[in-house]
Each structure stands twice: as C-alpha cells, then as structure tokens.
Amino acid sequence: MNAVEIEAAISDLALQAFDAAEFPFAFLAAFGNKETALKRLRAGNASDVPGGVLQRNNIHIAVCEAGAVGETLKALRASPATAKAKPKFILATDGQTLEAEELAGGETIACAYPDFPNHLGFFLPLAGISTIKEIKDNPIDVRATGRLNKLYVELLRENPDWAVAERRPDMNHFMARLIFCFFAEDTDIFNGDGLFTETVKQMGENNGSNTHQVLSEIFRAMNIKPAERGNAEPRLPTWPMAFLT
C-alpha cells in the first residue's frame, strides 16, 4: 500500500464506531497487513499487556479502559514482551484518546482518537515507508491527495462516459481547476475566508443537484476579465463576481 491508500484506510477507521476488540487488527490492516497475518495474531500473540496485540518487529498495541491511556503506554514501554519482540512502536488507546511512541528515537504523539490520521507520517514505517520526510512533516498534504483521488473515482463512477480516452483531457482540466480553487482559497488569492467552499455550500442544493451549475458559473467568471463581466453573455449572476483572478 502507498501513503495515499494508507491515509484513506486509517481515515475510514477513525470515522467508524470504536470497537475495542477489533481496533488493533483494523489498524494493522490499514497499514497493509494481510488477512493471513491478522488471523495468526487473532489466534494468539505474545503480548503480556491486558488488551494487547503484539506484532514482532512492528508494533505493540493495547486497548484500555477510559482514562488509562497514559498508564497503558507506560506498561507497553516496560513490557518484557516489548523488549523481546523489538517492535518499532507502542500504541495505547481507549477510543477517546490515543498515544504512541516510536521506540528507537523516542518521538511520541498524543491526540484525540479521531485525529490520529493527522499523524500519518509518524506511523508510515509500519508500512515500510521510512524515508519520506515531506509526508511525515505534512500529513495533511497526503490526506488532501487522498480526498481528491476519492473525488476523481466517484466522479468517474457517476459519469462513466468521462472515463473514455477522449474525455480524459476534460476530466483532468476540471480536476486542475478544482485544485487551483482550493489552493487559491488556502493561500488568500481569493478574497474572503473559505470563499470557494462557502460559495459552493451556499449556492448549492443540499442534494448536490445543481453543484455543476455553481462550479460552472464560478469558472466562467474567473475566465472573464473583471471589467468585462458586466457585459458577459449569458449574463453573469452577482455572486461569482467576488472571484478575482
């Protein structure tokens, strides 16, 4: 699995209802562990910590009672099984908070459970990805890439005629425009906080039925010089006038 695929898997896991018994195995699966390896761990592992799952040379995970995350992480660190199996990481969670430590370097994280995908780069060595400093420093970039990939796949699913070779330039052009709008929004090229996102939300129907029309008018406005927008044919509505380029 690559970093984008891992990000999608752990983000999905974080959104699901927390299952104490299944979390260690779901976490390992998100980092590319095959079902055969998980089956062996389910049958029995060498953890000596209550609620623990120990994968040799990889990670020692323990799910604990609410409020006992810090104490459980200490137990994992002091565990004779940890010392013997030489995992890269220890991790403790109660489904509300999550703490982990990279044992070789001593780097630690502590966060609310739903936020652990934001620490993707910290955990990438679990998938054998240990040299990508940019991903470790900027996990949000990977998450954004994953979201755009999901959008691309969903658009093709809903519009199979776009998947043909002759429509690929149109699809790529459309995705490039979206990426520019998100970039312009985040870097204050557009005036106003969240102008692109908030305009789509405000002008779009809740079921998304007119989103294509909203995007079309935004793109059309940006393709016309501001001084010429008043004479545009067909007439431009007033709400996309704020998009200056």
Side-chain angles (χ1 to χ4, degrees):
M1 296 177 71
N2 61 42
V4 171
E5 292 169 328
I6 294 168
E7 185 281 327
I10 64 173
S11 292
D12 288 344
L13 175 59
L15 290 172
Q16 296 170 15
F18 182 71
D19 185 327
E22 285 299 312
F23 171 79
F25 307 106
F27 184 87
L28 289 169
F31 283 88
N33 282 265
K34 303 299 184 184
E35 187 55 39
T36 51
L38 299 178
K39 186 175 181 179
R40 287 195 296 270
L41 287 174
R42 290 178 188 277
N45 66 88
S47 177
D48 54 0
V49 175
V53 173
L54 173 58
Q55 188 176 51
R56 182 177 296 275
N57 298 319
N58 206 34
I59 190 168
H60 197 176
I61 303 172
V63 176
C64 58
E65 297 295 327
V69 173
E71 179 183 340
T72 302
L73 193 72
K74 290 179 181 178
L76 288 168
R77 191 183 299 114
S79 157
T82 296
K84 183 177 181 180
K86 302 185 184 304
K88 300 181 183 77
F89 294 91
I90 53 175
L91 182 155
T93 184
D94 58 0
Q96 300 174 35
T97 62
L98 181 146
E99 294 185 22
E101 180 177 343
E102 189 270 311
L103 293 173
E107 184 179 355
T108 61
I109 63 166
C111 63
Y113 176 81
D115 294 336
F116 79 81
N118 290 333
H119 299 278
L120 167 68
F122 178 83
F123 291 113
L124 280 179
L126 293 173
I129 305 173
S130 58
T131 59
I132 305 178
K133 183 178 185 296
E134 292 78 8
I135 290 178
K136 188 170 185 178
D137 291 344
N138 300 287
I140 302 301
D141 291 348
V142 179
R143 302 197 73 183
T145 302
R147 297 298 182 270
L148 286 169
N149 181 64
K150 285 183 178 180
L151 175 61
Y152 187 90
V153 171
E154 187 65 17
L155 284 170
L156 291 182
R157 188 181 71 81
E158 293 290 335
N159 304 276
D161 56 309
W162 291 11
V164 297
E166 54 268 29
R167 294 299 304 276
R168 187 171 295 118
D170 295 334
M171 184 65 171
N172 291 340
H173 191 192
F174 174 70
M175 294 300 296
R177 283 181 164 185
L178 284 183
I179 292 169
F180 169 78
C181 287
F182 290 132
F183 171 79
E185 182 175 79
D186 288 345
T187 56
D188 296 327
I189 293 175
F190 290 154
N191 293 322
D193 292 338
L195 178 65
F196 179 66
T197 302
E198 292 304 317
T199 299
V200 173
K201 286 181 180 179
Q202 182 178 20
M203 303 307 299
E205 298 288 349
N206 289 336
N207 62 4
S209 60
N210 73 331
T211 301
H212 63 294
Q213 295 170 325
V214 174
L215 293 175
S216 178
E217 290 295 76
I218 292 173
F219 295 157
R220 187 162 73 96
M222 289 193 294
N223 204 37
I224 302 173
K225 294 178 180 180
E228 299 173 1
R229 291 178 184 178
N231 299 320
E233 291 293 340
R235 184 186 66 83
L236 270 172
T238 58
W239 53 266
M241 297 294 191
F243 288 87
L244 301 177
T245 59

